[in-house]
Amino acid sequence: MSEFWDEEKATVEESTEAENDKKELETRDYEADPWAEGETASTAENAGGAETAEGTESAENAAAGEPVVDVYLANLEARPSETAKPKKRRSFLQKASLFLVSAILFGAIAGGVFVGVKAVNDHFSDKEESNQKVLEGKSETDDLPRGETGDYKLDTTGTVNDNTETGEDGESGSATAVDVSEIVESVMPSVVAINCYTQNSYTNPFFGGSSEDSSLVLAGSGSGIIIGQNDSEVLVVTNNHVIDGAAMISLEFVDGTTAEASVKGTEPSSDLAVVSVPFSSLSESTIASIRIARLGNSDDVKIGQMAIAIGNALGYGQSVTVGYISAKERQVTVDNVTYTLIQTDAAINPGNSGGALLNIKGEVIGINSVKYSDSSVEGMGFAIPISNIADLIEELSNREELSEDEYGFLGISNGKDITSEYANMLGISQGVYVRQIVEDSPAEEAGMFAGDIITKVDNTVITCMSDLQNFLSYTKAGTTVTITVQRMTQGEYREVELSVTLGHRPSDAK
């Protein structure tokens, strides 16, 4: 009986142990797989003992009449399947949406890059094109502005001679421009070389003294700017000191041909002169090759802007120098006359006098003059502002050569020059001091008095008696002019304007 209970107890204990093994298998953490490499090694080490235990257990269960449980197969059934965690797959709609979003994003990025590259390219292309845009003048066949009498009228706005487009801001160039070849090529037909000749003089070895023959020798060189034309001639402006005292003036044009010029009018106090060449002296090819310069506004010039100087340097032919505007309204005194000039560091050498100082648009903003330069200082050149002398150039261009009998007569005598030195010392204006008025003269009739200082006649500045005499030599008798004088009133000089009709010179005044 005791044996029966012993067998039943053993059977219950085995069942309980098997049940515990099953629960352990069910609750095992399969992330650390017991059937991996460690399991294989453990099984191999305990193979003998396990087989013995299984054989004993199977025999005991068989003897008890109970079914044999294969623990190995039970463990395999309890092992999680390899497909316990299936990979999640995207649907067709999700794939299509992802592709569409990627395509849109790529297109936006590519489009943005293309637009950016194009904008940068257009920006620099516009700058390059703007630096190449230049202003051309007009040839002889172009129409010019004229007054009611048919006289040449100087175009100070530049609109008549403007054949080139510019930017909206009027600036076709920029501070970064370094290549001015296109500008120079356009303006060069408007600039001429001037060669002045005097009669050859020599000393007689037998009788002493100096003599002159009919031969001419080159006395000096300069430059000029073609500023207009009338019905019969081309007009060129230059410095007065370039052509002063010349027996013959020769102009050389851009095509290399030369022609003799005659003086149209001079203004020594402003260092300006206008000479002319008849169309009859020019060939058709020369007329077709030359251009009228386009005048700019020197009042709009800014310090630091680029400046281009063109002229017949040292008489070797036309040359170009480039620099910047160094100063405006620079006061320079030469020969007791004070000038207001543009200063530039573009080289202005002997022979450049009368040539053009240009802005980056190819417009003439000044007339170069080496007369005001100092050879001991480098990088300081000067030019007469074109806006200050536009009216005077127009007046000089319309002057006529008069016979002595046609000269105008004012009626002052013993005039005294008031130089800039005296003017500064005495605190008075520079001009001509009137010592005496001729009785019944146009000056007396106009109300001029002894002690007045004549400073201006029409647009001509008067600094000395030679300026006044020069003005009367090209102004016909009977012409009414406006004379500006400084008059002492209540202890100080005040400006007074007088309207004077010039008379004929009396025989004893000729």
Side-chain angles (χ1 to χ4, degrees):
M1 192 68 179
S2 61
E3 292 178 357
F4 172 78
W5 288 110
D6 289 338
E7 289 179 0
E8 287 293 326
K9 183 179 180 179
T11 301
V12 171
E13 288 176 354
E14 288 176 358
S15 299
T16 302
E17 184 177 358
E19 189 71 18
N20 291 337
D21 290 340
K22 184 177 180 181
K23 289 181 179 181
E24 182 180 357
L25 288 173
E26 290 176 351
T27 59
R28 181 175 296 173
D29 183 7
Y30 289 101
E31 291 183 0
D33 192 355
W35 304 98
E37 296 178 0
E39 179 189 65
T40 304
S42 177
T43 303
E45 291 176 359
N46 302 318
E51 290 176 359
T52 303
E54 289 177 3
T56 303
E57 233 172 56
S58 298
E60 292 177 352
N61 291 338
E66 292 182 5
V68 179
V69 178
D70 191 334
V71 178
Y72 181 75
L73 292 177
N75 288 338
L76 284 178
E77 291 176 356
R79 185 179 182 182
S81 175
E82 293 181 358
T83 61
K85 296 181 180 180
K87 185 176 181 180
K88 187 177 181 179
R89 301 182 63 184
R90 294 188 177 93
S91 66
F92 174 78
L93 181 60
Q94 289 176 322
K95 289 183 179 180
S97 300
L98 180 60
F99 177 78
L100 181 61
V101 171
S102 300
I104 294 174
L105 182 60
F106 176 78
I109 295 174
V113 172
F114 176 78
V115 171
V117 172
K118 186 175 185 302
V120 172
N121 181 66
D122 292 344
H123 174 73
F124 287 102
S125 297
D126 291 342
K127 279 184 172 289
E128 182 178 357
E129 291 177 2
S130 67
N131 291 336
Q132 294 177 352
K133 289 180 180 179
V134 295
L135 299 168
E136 296 182 356
K138 284 195 168 184
S139 66
E140 176 270 333
T141 58
D142 295 323
D143 293 332
L144 291 174
R146 302 181 185 279
E148 296 179 356
T149 60
D151 293 335
Y152 167 72
K153 184 173 179 59
L154 189 67
D155 175 37
T156 58
T157 63
T159 55
V160 174
N161 297 326
D162 187 3
N163 293 332
T164 307
E165 296 179 358
T166 58
E168 293 180 358
D169 58 354
E171 296 289 342
S172 61
S174 67
T176 60
V178 292
D179 184 0
V180 297
S181 59
E182 295 290 338
I183 298 175
V184 172
E185 183 179 355
S186 175
V187 178
M188 196 68 81
S190 304
V191 182
V192 301
I194 300 179
N195 294 313
C196 297
Y197 298 84
T198 58
Q199 287 186 330
N200 185 28
S201 61
Y202 62 93
T203 301
N204 192 315
F206 300 104
F207 303 101
S210 60
S211 302
E212 295 182 350
D213 57 25
S214 58
S215 63
L216 297 174
V217 293
L218 180 63
S221 300
S223 307
I225 308 168
I226 300 176
I227 46 89
Q229 67 180 34
N230 54 32
D231 295 334
S232 59
E233 55 194 359
V234 177
L235 303 173
V236 176
V237 65
T238 185
N239 289 138
N240 180 70
H241 74 265
V242 171
I243 56 95
D244 188 29
M248 194 270 281
I249 302 170
S250 175
L251 305 187
E252 182 177 346
F253 297 94
V254 66
D255 62 349
T257 61
T258 60
E260 185 174 347
S262 59
V263 177
K264 192 75 173 176
T266 64
E267 192 59 52
S269 62
S270 299
D271 195 24
L272 287 177
V274 173
V275 298
S276 61
V277 176
F279 283 124
S280 58
S281 300
L282 305 176
S283 65
E284 292 184 0
S285 61
T286 298
I287 294 174
S289 66
I290 61 178
R291 297 288 184 274
I292 296 172
R294 184 172 185 267
L295 305 186
N297 188 343
S298 57
D299 294 336
D300 293 338
V301 171
K302 297 179 181 179
I303 297 174
Q305 288 182 334
M306 182 173 286
I308 306 167
I310 301 180
N312 180 26
L314 301 177
Y316 292 147
Q318 303 292 18
S319 63
V320 178
T321 58
V322 179
Y324 296 91
I325 301 298
S326 304
K328 294 177 59 178
E329 300 180 356
R330 184 71 78 198
Q331 301 291 318
V332 179
T333 301
V334 179
D335 298 334
N336 294 318
V337 179
T338 300
Y339 301 88
T340 301
L341 307 172
I342 296 174
Q343 181 182 328
T344 177
D345 64 346
I348 298 178
N349 301 304
N352 282 119
S353 288
L357 184 68
L358 310 171
N359 60 18
I360 197 63
K361 297 190 291 183
E363 298 171 331
V364 178
I365 56 174
I367 299 177
N368 301 325
S369 182
V370 75
K371 178 178 180 180
Y372 314 117
S373 301
D374 189 343
S375 59
S376 63
V377 179
E378 294 185 0
M380 288 184 65
F382 295 95
I384 305 171
I386 196 68
S387 297
N388 294 0
I389 55 176
D391 291 340
L392 180 57
I393 292 175
E394 181 179 328
E395 182 182 326
L396 294 176
S397 300
N398 293 318
R399 286 184 181 177
E400 299 178 6
E401 291 188 16
L402 304 177
S403 63
E404 192 172 347
D405 292 337
E406 295 177 303
Y407 289 175
F409 175 69
L410 179 59
I412 67 170
S413 61
N414 298 324
K416 173 68 176 180
D417 295 346
I418 298 179
T419 64
S420 59
E421 181 180 359
Y422 284 132
N424 293 331
M425 182 175 60
L426 301 176
I428 59 178
S429 299
Q430 186 177 356
V432 174
Y433 181 80
V434 179
R435 288 183 173 179
Q436 185 177 355
I437 300 292
V438 176
E439 189 177 354
D440 296 329
S441 66
E444 184 181 57
E445 293 176 359
M448 188 176 295
F449 299 104
D452 287 348
I453 301 174
I454 301 174
T455 59
K456 192 175 182 181
V457 180
D458 284 342
N459 294 318
T460 302
V461 176
I462 304 298
T463 60
C464 56
M465 276 298 296
S466 61
D467 289 344
L468 183 58
Q469 292 169 349
N470 183 62
F471 178 86
L472 296 174
S473 68
Y474 60 74
T475 306
K476 286 184 177 182
T479 302
T480 300
V481 298
T482 299
I483 298 180
T484 303
V485 301
Q486 294 289 324
R487 177 174 297 170
M488 178 65 73
T489 304
Q490 297 179 350
E492 62 180 0
Y493 278 96
R494 296 182 181 179
E495 186 175 283
V496 178
E497 290 186 351
L498 304 174
S499 179
V500 182
T501 300
L502 301 178
H504 290 275
R505 300 180 66 185
S507 57
D508 57 352
K510 295 180 182 180

